Amino acid sequence: MSTPVDLDAVRQSLENTVMVDRVRISRPTGTAPLDPETGLLGPVPAATVWEGSGAVLSAHGLSTVEHLVGGKWLDDSASWYGLVTPLSAPLPQRGDRVEVLLAASANAGTVGRLWQVLDPAEASTVEVARVTRLDEVTPP
């Protein structure tokens, strides 16, 4: 006989131990303006969709979290990065931008980097967190 999983306890554990950074999800609202003097594109206008607790984890980090919570809670990641947010966060959409505003760890290495949402957030009948696949946006 298997022991039932306390999903609320798993959810709370993830929020307290993993989703400890402050992240922003923004959605492009137009096209980047061209600076006629430099010939370079300016920033793409965007609206903030959500700002709050979360974590950007590499594929290795995602598998490490599975061990911390005592079981496999997501499928193998095809992309290198995943955004983990509470269930209270809205569902990111393809093309949304993700950035870490404040990292809980001084050596996180995620602040100042930008990711793009590859697919809508994963959905499931039973969920403990939102997991969204990301691709890092690297400057030219």
Side-chain angles (χ1 to χ4, degrees):
M1 181 173 184
S2 64
T3 304
V5 175
D6 184 348
L7 295 177
D8 286 330
V10 172
R11 186 177 303 114
Q12 193 64 48
S13 176
L14 285 170
E15 289 181 13
N16 292 338
T17 61
V18 176
M19 294 181 248
V20 294
D21 293 343
R22 183 154 195 85
V23 299
R24 177 187 296 143
I25 302 169
S26 58
R27 187 161 296 144
T29 59
T31 57
L34 177 66
D35 182 337
E37 291 183 21
T38 65
L40 300 174
L41 292 175
V44 175
T48 298
V49 174
W50 186 78
E51 190 174 307
S53 62
V56 173
L57 301 173
S58 67
H60 173 73
L62 289 168
S63 65
T64 301
V65 168
E66 290 176 357
H67 295 288
L68 290 174
V69 298
K72 190 168 181 68
W73 61 281
L74 54 87
D75 289 333
D76 293 333
S77 176
S79 65
W80 188 246
Y81 292 98
L83 170 66
V84 182
T85 52
L87 295 177
S88 59
L91 293 168
Q93 296 178 5
R94 181 174 295 147
D96 283 356
R97 299 291 176 104
V98 174
E99 59 186 310
V100 176
L101 302 175
L102 181 64
S105 171
N107 59 356
T110 54
V111 176
R113 294 164 76 174
L114 184 65
W115 292 267
Q116 182 173 347
V117 173
L118 293 175
D119 293 308
E122 295 176 0
S124 175
T125 300
V126 178
E127 293 182 308
V128 293
R130 299 219 185 282
V131 179
T132 307
R133 297 178 196 277
L134 305 174
D135 188 32
E136 188 168 6
V137 176
T138 55

